[in-house]
Amino acid sequence: PIRLILTAGQVADITQGAALIERIDAGAVIADKGYDSDALVQTIEETGAQAIIPPRSNRKTPRTVDWHRYKARNLVERFFCRLKQ
């Protein structure tokens, strides 16, 4: 993780999506389904990065996802679980 933004528990994660990637040079942005929005994906792709975000099940036209790269996100999730413990 390069940046961490804390919000209240009832605030949706996606509200801070653009702020999390602002001025960060990356080849790819990997996030969970909570960050699946056309606006955020467009913001990511405008920086030249690849958006690796699985589409939500209610999306009418699902995007393709590099599932091999997405699986690596699990390591970061487990890291934060350990910190919480």
Side-chain angles (χ1 to χ4, degrees):
I2 297 171
R3 185 173 289 153
L4 178 70
I5 299 174
L6 294 176
T7 60
Q10 71 274 16
V11 176
D13 293 342
I14 196 163
T15 61
Q16 300 302 313
L20 284 170
I21 62 169
E22 186 178 14
R23 292 188 306 269
I24 293 178
D25 186 27
V29 175
I30 303 173
D32 62 18
K33 290 179 182 184
Y35 290 92
D36 178 30
S37 83
D38 291 333
L40 182 59
V41 170
Q42 182 179 352
T43 300
I44 293 168
E45 290 175 348
E46 284 173 356
T47 68
Q50 180 185 8
I52 302 176
I53 304 171
R56 286 189 236 146
S57 60
N58 63 348
R59 192 175 257 284
K60 292 182 180 174
T61 54
R63 291 183 328 279
T64 58
V65 177
D66 183 348
W67 291 105
H68 180 71
R69 291 177 77 182
Y70 179 75
K71 288 181 182 180
R73 190 184 72 75
N74 181 1
L75 297 172
V76 176
E77 291 286 330
R78 287 188 288 163
F79 170 74
F80 278 104
C81 267
R82 296 289 275 180
L83 284 177
K84 290 178 183 179
Q85 290 178 2

